[in-house]
Every structure is written in C-alpha cells, then in structure tokens.
Amino acid sequence: MANFTGPPPGAIRNKPISSELQKVLSIAAQSAGIDTVVITSGGQDTLGEGTRRTGSTRHDRGRAADLQLVVQGTALAFTDHAAPATVLAFITAAAAAGATGIGAGVDYMGARTIHVGFGTSINDHQTLTWGAGGKSINAPQWLRDAAEAGWRTPAALAETVPAEPAAPGRYAVVARSGLKLRGGPGPDFGSEKTLALGTELTVTQFEGPGGNWACVDVEGDGVLDGYVFAPFLAALASSHQPGDVA
C-alpha cells in the first residue's frame, strides 16, 4: 500500500481529499507500484461556503488532488511527449477506478505534478483530460491514451480487487502492473522484486492491520519468499487449503 503525504498546511487547498478519491488513488498507486503519493494541493472551501479556495470547483469537498508520484525516493517526471510506464499505469488505473478528470503537462503544473479527481460538481460525470491552460486540446497524447485505456474498461480494475482473502492457500496476482514482493508486512519494508500479473503463489498466513499482508511462497518449495499486499490477490478456484484432502 502506498504512503500518502500532504497537502501542505500552508497551501490554499490544504483540506483533506475525500474518502472516494483516497480509494481511487490507493488502488491506482498499488496497481502501478508507487511508493508514495505526495499531494501538493488537496481539498478547498466549497464555493459559497468559505474563502480559502482558488480556481475551479473541482477541488471542492476534496474531490480532486494535484499530486506527485514517488518511487524509490524520486518523484517521477514526464515531458509533453512521453511519460514513464509507471506514470501511464497509474493514470490508467485511476481512470479505471473512477477518476473522471485528469490533467498534466509541463506548461500546466510542471514536469512532475498531475491533477486527478472527479468533475466540477457531484453531478458532473464527464470524462476529461487537459494540459496547458487547462485546455483539453493541450492534453499530452500519452495522457489521453492512458486515461482512455482506463475509461474503456471501467470495471476491469475494480473486479481485480477482491474482498480480503479469508484463508491460506493458492492465489494469483491480479494487480495490472504487478505486485511488489516485500521483506515484511508493510510498505516500509524494502522490495527487490515485482511479481507479474497472473503469478501464482501460496499464501501461508495473513498479517498486519486487517490481515492485509500475505506471507507467501512464490517458488512452491516450502520456503517463504516475502510479503505482498493481499487485496491484489485472487484465490484460485482449485486452491487446496491446509488440511484439505487432495
């Protein structure tokens, strides 16, 4: 699970993001292998209900965030012509998980900051990308393509995030961009390997808050290899639980 920081107390938009947006960003970050999501601009006073606000109504009620994606201590950068695969994966996953407004561009908010959120109101469900000047015509082509890929299959990612696995057994990785294998039950433990989508493994036990971290044997040799984030595992239909008779 990715860590979240911000927004800065001194920012105009310094209010928390909504739980709905938090869920979207968490799913996207985990799917793309993001370590930390740095929110540089969060929620703001709703129009007509306060003065600590700026720009459009997209950030009202915490329904949008301007953010940076950090992997191994470095904020990922892009140009108007290309973006790292991890950034593309994050945008596609965010769109698939329900984000409807996504903006980025070097002349929009710089080479590292991305806007992700919903519409201008709770009734605005239009899907939209934009770039410099907040104009759709200026959206980088990579941004358009990545977002459209998610919007074309809006249910795909949600279907791959199952309920918390209930028991040890055989599972498969269902995170679109792979799942980090960590040295312990939590995001603070290092990761030297990413398990690809579809990787089958054996879960020996669930640990951590809510049982969200699975201790796994990847090689099938009875030796424990590490921990993965359990909500991105799906039980195999033919899985035998400990004590089952084959």
Side-chain angles (χ1 to χ4, degrees):
M1 180 183 297
N3 296 315
F4 281 78
T5 65
I12 293 178
R13 295 169 174 151
N14 64 352
K15 296 184 180 299
I17 61 174
S18 69
S19 58
E20 182 183 9
L21 180 58
Q22 177 87 33
K23 180 179 180 180
V24 167
L25 298 181
S26 294
I27 290 173
Q30 180 63 34
S31 180
I34 303 300
D35 294 327
T36 303
V37 176
V38 178
I39 298 176
T40 60
S41 181
Q44 65 181 3
D45 287 344
T46 301
L47 184 64
E49 297 180 7
T51 59
R52 195 178 184 93
R53 57 172 296 108
T54 185
S56 77
T57 56
R58 288 185 180 273
H59 285 259
D60 290 13
R61 304 184 190 281
R63 288 170 46 81
D66 301 332
L67 54 87
Q68 297 183 354
L69 306 175
V70 176
V71 175
Q72 296 182 348
T74 300
L76 302 180
F78 49 80
T79 70
D80 285 333
H81 304 290
T86 302
V87 171
L88 300 179
F90 177 87
I91 291 171
T92 297
T100 57
I102 306 176
V106 174
D107 292 328
Y108 175 50
M109 291 190 297
R112 290 179 173 80
T113 305
I114 304 168
H115 173 105
V116 181
F118 306 112
T120 56
S121 72
I122 59 174
N123 297 316
D124 177 12
H125 304 295
Q126 179 185 15
T127 55
L128 193 66
T129 57
W130 61 86
K135 297 181 178 180
S136 294
I137 194 172
N138 294 332
Q141 190 60 50
W142 58 261
L143 177 64
R144 298 173 189 267
D145 293 343
E148 288 292 343
W151 290 329
R152 281 197 300 269
T153 55
L157 185 63
E159 290 171 355
T160 66
V161 183
E164 179 184 319
R170 293 289 290 172
Y171 289 81
V173 173
V174 292
R176 191 189 304 275
S177 298
L179 189 59
K180 288 188 176 182
L181 180 67
R182 297 185 180 275
D188 293 334
F189 291 89
S191 171
E192 296 182 356
K193 183 177 182 180
T194 298
L195 305 179
L197 173 67
T199 299
E200 296 185 9
L201 47 77
T202 298
V203 173
T204 62
Q205 62 185 8
F206 295 96
E207 300 181 18
N212 276 335
W213 290 90
C215 184
V216 301
D217 168 13
V218 180
E219 303 297 332
D221 56 5
V223 177
L224 301 181
D225 295 297
Y227 292 79
V228 296
F229 188 54
F232 285 89
L233 296 177
L236 296 176
S238 59
S239 176
H240 288 287
Q241 308 300 335
D244 285 353
V245 177

